[in-house]
Amino acid sequence: MTTDTRVAAVKAELRTDSPFVATPTPRLTWRTETSTPSWRQAGAEVTDGESTATLEGAESALVDWPFPPLAPGERREVRVRVTGVDGAVSAWSAPLAVEAGFLAPDEWIAEPIGLADPEREAQPALVRTTFSLDRPVRRALLLWTALGSAEPEINGRAVSDDVLAPGWSATRDRLVHESVDVTDLLVEGDNVVGATLAGAWYTERYGFFTFTDRVYGDQPSFLAQLRVTFADGTVETLAPTGAAWTATGDTEIVASGIYAGEHQDLRLRAPWSTPDAATSGDDRGWAPARVGVVARPGYERVPRPEARIAEPVRRHESLPVVARLTTPSGGEVLDFGQNLVGRLRLRVRGEAGTTVTIRHAEVLDAGELALRPLRNAKATASFVLSGGDDVLESRFSFYGFRYAQITGIDVADEQVEAVVLHSDMERTGWFASSHALVNRLHENVVWGMRGNFLALPTDCPQRDERLGWTGDLQVFAPTASFLYDCDGFLTSWLRDLALEQERAGGVVPLVIPAALPSFAGGGPVAAWGDAAAVTPTVLHERFGDREVLAAQYPSMRAWVEAVRTDAGDSGLWAGRMQLGDWLDPSAPPDQPGKAKVDGDIVATAYFARSLRQVAEAAALLGNTSDAETYGALAERSRRAFVTEYVTPAGRMMSDAPTAYALALAFDLVQDAPTRAALADRLAALVRESGYRISTGFVGTPIIADALSDGGHHDAAERLLLQTQCPSWLYPVTQGATTVWERWDSLLPDGSVNPGEMTSFNHYALGAVADWLHRTVAGLAPAAPGYRRLRIAPRPLTAFDHASARHLTAYGPAEVSWEREPGTDTVRVRAIVPPNTTAEVALPGALADGSEAPAEVGSGAHEWRVTLPAAPVRPPLPGLDAMLADVIDDPRAYDALIGALEETAPERVDGVRSGTVWGAGRPLASALMFTPPDVLERVDRAVRDATA
């Protein structure tokens, strides 16, 4: 049968950037393209060139490896062809190279090496050895890792373009090794393998204020070995790090640190890893390398390295200078137009010995680089010029910045570029709308994720922190999983979480890796530790990854058991130290945990939800006993929450938006009338605050969902589109190009928030983007991994159109809607990938009067929908109008503010931010002690505007 059906892409396990896999049995995923409507796979054939497996059924995502396991060093080519339910068979796909990136359990023999007699702590170094090849080589793999970071070379050439490898892991229990094909770098005869080595995360000092110290070790170490397969089929391990290696501290990388930045002396830049340099001597003071680690107590053990499962950090793009600014002090600052994470690259020529210094900042304060938010991080790059043509770029540090000041040399714009760094994940999600500010907000979310998904999910990329805060990640995980294919990235991080948690007796540390061992007293902390349950659940929901649930289930279970031990038998989790709704905008700058909602409400809500997630995971994994046990405990905790914190009238004991959002979004209150009352009160609170944000890290990611699902989509829209501080769009109006840590990280007067903790690149509050994708545009998973989609757009009145597009494992899925000008009709379009179906919930009745479909198959679909008519707003009686009616009627609100700006501009900010916009309060009550002529002007303006 003739068909245009084709297998467009095949993927092995979780990475797309490399043929190397970390397991002998990598799961396979393939994506089919076809013009056949409602195409479904009936079966598939998979071949590795030696055998062919016939698979029945529709599964095409994360399918179990159907061949004998890969052996260390083995490489196969996999092809797939599919058969549709119509009987048509596709051609074979293009081959996918799948290569074992791992070693046999006893094959790793490399020892850690470094400088034997360092002159200072965390001293960068060069290490190298020579080896000889006496016969042709078929295949050669370099397997390497570091306690610190390294850039290996063979015969004078870099082995890869990876940056800051191997990254940061739970060093006591897990080291990740790189697997690099270096066949083309080797020659018969003498060869040199070596590496430039720096301390990076391993030797960094962690902590706050003056209480900082190294956690892991004082000197970096390098581990490597070559696995060489000769043309005759023999396999040998060559050049393992150990006593045969030499080292020197005489390198162009003079000093380097994650927080401090880097100092290079380019006069020392010369070939050192070539056979000629190794045999002729290069005056660098080479000496036998130190064998063993220089570790802090408790960190002496070096675990056997395991193969990488997540993408490494790489350079992704470069941005040019967009403006030059002169500071009040007379300096010159370069503006790159985007707050980014990476470093500058300069191409210059200057007098030998000249020092060029680069300072970095995210924003300007009073026209100068805002360095105070960096705290103890110097974030400075400096270079001593060689006298020739030099390329200046840090190698083992990175910076969060938009602005940079360069001193020591004059540079033209074309000599400078900002190099963007992040883990090399595939972009999979997009959103667009007719609202320019919301589009910029979404772009800010993307840039925030890019900068903070660098080796691990960090809180911020610029100051003396850059840690894997668990709370930030768990609230952002759904958004992250839409925007990028981060399954491998987060699966790797979760392995570290489980290892650090095990050392802490089931308690999840606040940061992973656990670089703050004594912070917060060591007890379980709600919303942060719940990352152990939430993140695997999200990865299963968004990627269909059952194996991550299986691997992390012991961690999920250990977490809720640790909370049970801490909380007692009541079902409540109360009376403990909690971070709560961190950075509630009403909290003082120096007390970010002082939220309106009681921390016990946050803790118990999360406890109940995590118990339910553990129960659901147990059921999915076939653990019936655990499913029953934790299901019962989840229900007990849910009931305890309702009994303790919800009144019969539908009020929360903490009358704060986050309390209501938790009760609704976590489905803790299930009685329909009570849920309606809670949703109504939440909407009232949001209105009373003038549709300004009044939630922190816990409440903000879920408040829009709680409002929309509770029948108050209009309130969610007003909250989204607010531009006054605090709001999502206030930073956008202030020129933000990433999401801020605080709602007012930059104050309206342009000055930096006076709090000690202020970052301009923090992704947590950008978690609202998931609501934009799922609800506003209307694209969501209805089954794990988008095996089934949900198409359910909820248009916003201020938008003319919106769309979301996501590259699922089955292909691109898309939902878009647009208004037909001058009508109440909206055109909804959807693309459903082959081998999937979608449930449909349209926002109105079909314009032609026909019945809307409840389900559709793959292909392109289009519907014209008539939306319900907007309610007609009545005239308002001026000063006697209720404040709730004024804030809900843009005509009245604009008239009020306009009248005050004309007659009493000093009152405007107070009315905007200090008024409680309640349903039982007249407008006059917000204007007490206002001169009669101003009152008369306001009264007339409101009446005229709403007549």
Side-chain angles (χ1 to χ4, degrees), residues 267 276 289 316 325 388 394 488 510 581:
R267 294 171 298 183
D276 286 345
H316 286 271
L325 311 171
S394 297
L510 292 175
D581 196 23

Side-chain angles (χ1 to χ4, degrees), residues 397-409:
S397 192
F398 60 93
Y399 314 91
F401 67 100
R402 171 176 172 170
Y403 301 95
Q405 189 165 13
I406 302 171
T407 57
I409 195 170

Side-chain angles (χ1 to χ4, degrees), residues 278-297:
T279 56
S280 64
D282 55 12
D283 300 323
R284 289 184 181 269
W286 293 92
R290 173 252 305 158
V291 179
V293 297
V294 182
R296 291 294 176 99

Side-chain angles (χ1 to χ4, degrees), residues 559-796:
W559 164 247
V560 295
E561 287 296 333
V563 176
R564 283 182 70 190
T565 298
D566 192 64
D569 296 328
S570 67
L572 300 172
W573 188 12
R576 302 300 192 187
M577 194 292 295
Q578 299 289 352
L579 297 179
D581 196 23
W582 188 253
L583 284 171
D584 178 321
S586 66
D590 59 343
Q591 298 180 64
K594 196 172 183 180
K596 292 183 289 294
V597 65
D598 191 306
D600 292 348
I601 289 180
V602 173
T604 301
Y606 265 93
F607 184 30
R609 185 173 71 152
S610 286
L611 284 166
R612 185 171 69 246
Q613 289 173 335
V614 172
E616 291 170 350
L620 183 72
L621 298 171
N623 189 336
T624 304
S625 176
D626 273 10
E628 293 175 352
T629 297
Y630 291 107
L633 289 171
E635 178 61 14
R636 183 186 71 172
S637 192
R638 186 195 70 77
R639 290 180 180 274
F641 178 93
V642 173
T643 300
E644 189 77 9
Y645 301 124
V646 184
T647 73
R651 287 286 187 104
M652 297 299 300
M653 295 301 291
S654 275
D655 194 32
T658 292
Y660 291 91
L662 287 167
L664 293 167
F666 286 8
D667 201 26
L668 300 174
V669 176
Q670 298 177 349
D671 172 69
T674 307
R675 284 185 65 87
L678 292 171
D680 290 346
R681 180 55 184 162
L682 173 59
L685 288 172
V686 169
R687 179 195 297 115
E688 288 176 6
S689 67
Y691 296 104
R692 289 171 176 78
I693 287 286
S694 53
T695 51
F697 270 32
V698 168
T700 298
I702 58 175
I703 190 168
D705 276 304
L707 288 167
S708 289
D709 295 344
H712 297 282
H713 193 55
D714 56 339
E717 176 176 357
R718 290 290 301 276
L719 194 63
L720 171 71
L721 300 184
Q722 175 64 259
T723 58
Q724 299 297 314
C725 186
S727 68
W728 282 295
L729 295 185
Y730 165 73
V732 177
T733 68
Q734 297 296 302
T737 59
T738 42
V739 175
W740 296 350
E741 178 179 24
R742 294 178 180 270
W743 298 108
D744 58 351
S745 284
L746 204 66
L747 302 181
D749 64 4
S751 62
V752 174
N753 187 292
E756 181 272 338
M757 185 183 71
T758 304
S759 159
F760 295 89
N761 193 349
H762 244 74
Y763 56 63
L765 298 177
V768 68
D770 191 52
W771 177 75
L772 293 175
H773 307 148
R774 289 182 292 100
T775 303
V776 176
L779 175 59
Y786 293 85
R787 186 71 181 81
R788 181 178 173 86
L789 280 65
R790 179 169 171 79
I791 299 169
R794 302 281 297 277
L796 300 180

Side-chain angles (χ1 to χ4, degrees), residues 150-167:
E151 293 181 354
E153 300 179 16
I154 292 180
N155 295 332
R157 295 167 62 187
V159 303
S160 74
D161 60 358
D162 298 353
V163 177
L164 290 161

Side-chain angles (χ1 to χ4, degrees), residues 226-273:
L226 281 160
R227 189 182 199 279
V228 180
T229 304
F230 292 97
D232 60 12
T234 59
V235 178
E236 292 186 17
T237 296
L238 300 179
T241 48
W245 283 63
T246 58
T248 179
D250 192 8
T251 168
E252 68 189 74
I253 313 294
V254 178
S256 182
I258 296 294
Y259 299 156
E262 192 162 288
H263 177 59
Q264 298 181 14
D265 188 341
L266 302 182
R267 294 171 298 183
L268 302 176
R269 180 177 290 177
W272 59 272
S273 64

